[in-house]
Amino acid sequence: SDMKVLFITIAMVFVGLTLFGQQNTAVGHWLSASGEGQIEIYNRADKLYGKISWLKQPKDEQGKPKTDLNNPDSKLRHKPLLGLEILKNFSIDGNGEWTGGTIYDPKSGKTYSCKLSLKKNDQLHIRGYVGISLLGKTEIWKRVK
């Protein structure tokens, strides 16, 4: 019947959109450009956030978990790097880019304006910048399968 055909068509479109939605997403696990860590990116309240989910060297010389030693706020320096939220508040724009967010660099203790863009499904371009994006540098993170 026509109803059945319509239903199947709608179902196929829905599956297609769902698959596309999963392809066209920064959600998942990413290996940083240096290979020193992995970042898990997730949705929260329609925004993207990301936290450090794995470190190649999670412990310091004393065998203690590494903490956020360079944080400008001395009250936060005891926080472990593992699990630290470093990407915050990204919104998708129409061009497959996530903008309006910030990235925190634990090495320097600095927070930068940032945009994320997906190149192919397994490369995430992270562009941090100070003020004007032209001055920024782009890092490429690889999707962890």
Side-chain angles (χ1 to χ4, degrees):
S1 73
D2 289 347
M3 203 63 196
K4 194 170 175 183
V5 171
L6 182 67
F7 180 74
I8 290 169
T9 307
I10 290 170
M12 283 168 68
V13 168
F14 184 73
V15 168
L17 284 174
T18 307
L19 289 175
F20 177 73
Q22 282 162 351
Q23 301 290 279
N24 187 22
T25 182
V27 169
H29 289 264
W30 298 89
L31 184 65
S32 69
S34 64
E36 290 172 60
Q38 282 180 24
I39 293 84
E40 180 187 353
I41 295 181
Y42 40 90
N43 280 306
R44 187 195 306 143
D46 291 340
K47 301 273 173 105
L48 281 189
Y49 289 78
K51 67 179 180 193
I52 298 173
S53 59
W54 174 86
L55 288 170
K56 189 183 263 182
Q57 295 171 316
K59 293 184 163 63
D60 64 17
E61 288 74 47
Q62 285 79 46
K64 294 193 175 76
K66 285 184 181 165
T67 62
D68 190 11
L69 291 176
N70 298 315
N71 198 305
D73 182 345
S74 58
K75 291 195 281 297
L76 297 176
R77 290 179 191 158
H78 68 281
K79 287 186 79 166
L81 284 184
L82 207 55
L84 194 70
E85 204 164 59
I86 61 167
L87 296 172
K88 290 184 177 164
N89 217 31
F90 289 86
S91 306
I92 186 113
D93 67 11
N95 313 315
E97 290 190 334
W98 289 265
T99 55
T102 57
I103 186 164
Y104 172 71
D105 174 14
K107 280 204 165 77
S108 65
K110 290 187 164 68
T111 298
Y112 299 100
S113 298
C114 184
K115 72 178 180 188
L116 314 175
S117 50
L118 207 55
K119 310 286 182 196
K120 305 194 278 273
N121 190 35
D122 56 355
Q123 282 189 8
L124 190 64
H125 288 218
I126 313 290
R127 185 157 180 85
Y129 50 92
V130 184
I132 309 167
S133 64
L134 293 174
L135 303 174
K137 68 178 182 44
T138 300
E139 259 196 19
I140 299 175
W141 293 358
K142 302 254 189 311
R143 193 183 289 275
V144 180
K145 297 282 186 269

